[in-house]
Amino acid sequence: MKLYKYFFKRVLDFILALIGLILAAPLLILVTVLLTIANKGKPFFFQTRPGLNEKLFKILKFKTMTDEKDKNGNLLPDADRMTKIGSFVRKMSLDEIPQLINVLKGDMSLVGPRPLLLEYLSLYSTEQKKRHNVGPGITGWAQVNGRNAISWG
């Protein structure tokens, strides 16, 4: 089991992520161009997330909202910043595809617990902290069981 966890899983993740990126390249290029136009040159979104052993990494996603701010310099509500192409990209879960690059880099796995926001770290119970004993994944148990409709328990 350890050989799978520490070697074969990583090799399998790398090979499948590389194949996924190659197959998705035309779609990635198209979405990147459309989001570059919609977001005034910024098609990607980077955010620091905790990974394996709570090591921090930058997650890569397509940027689906603009950076528009009000007169006081505060970001407008999400609904006001969502672009039409961004809405489509999210609805089709295309915003997650760039995370294949995180998999190639070794920051993420294809399957594992989703990397949550940093502000949640202090809220974890001892049991919930175990999620960091494995690498975070693009997809995992929560995504196939209803995403936000399930409890933290």
Side-chain angles (χ1 to χ4, degrees):
M1 186 67 164
K2 284 187 179 188
L3 186 60
Y4 170 76
K5 181 179 176 184
Y6 294 107
F7 179 73
F8 290 118
K9 184 169 185 346
R10 174 72 186 120
V11 170
L12 188 61
D13 279 343
F14 185 89
I15 291 169
L16 292 175
L18 185 61
I19 291 169
L21 279 171
I22 291 168
L23 293 176
L27 180 62
L28 287 169
I29 292 167
L30 176 63
V31 172
T32 299
V33 168
L34 294 173
L35 287 173
T36 298
I37 294 166
N39 294 322
K40 299 178 175 87
K42 298 178 183 176
F44 298 106
F45 173 77
F46 300 89
Q47 190 174 52
T48 303
R49 301 278 181 101
L52 178 64
N53 300 318
E54 295 185 17
K55 179 184 174 202
L56 303 182
F57 73 98
K58 297 271 187 195
I59 197 168
L60 174 62
K61 296 177 106 177
F62 276 128
K63 186 174 183 173
T64 57
M65 292 188 284
T66 67
D67 293 325
E68 293 178 273
K69 298 179 180 179
D70 63 19
K71 62 183 176 190
N72 298 320
N74 300 311
L75 285 174
L76 293 175
D78 290 355
D80 294 339
R81 297 184 300 124
M82 181 69 69
T83 63
K84 287 181 183 178
I85 182 66
S87 180
F88 175 79
V89 166
R90 274 210 190 163
K91 184 177 180 183
M92 302 304 292
S93 294
L94 299 176
D95 57 325
E96 309 287 345
I97 294 175
Q99 291 171 45
L100 291 171
I101 294 169
N102 288 114
V103 175
L104 289 179
K105 290 174 51 183
D107 294 331
M108 293 179 72
S109 180
L110 292 173
V111 178
R114 288 293 295 155
L116 300 178
L117 298 172
L118 288 177
E119 55 259 30
Y120 294 138
L121 279 175
S122 64
L123 303 174
Y124 293 160
S125 69
T126 304
E127 185 69 21
Q128 290 165 338
K129 281 187 176 243
K130 290 180 182 178
R131 71 183 294 119
H132 297 290
N133 292 343
V134 296
I138 292 176
T139 191
W141 187 87
Q143 285 65 45
V144 296
N145 285 287
R147 291 187 185 201
N148 297 332
I150 57 176
S151 74
W152 266 64

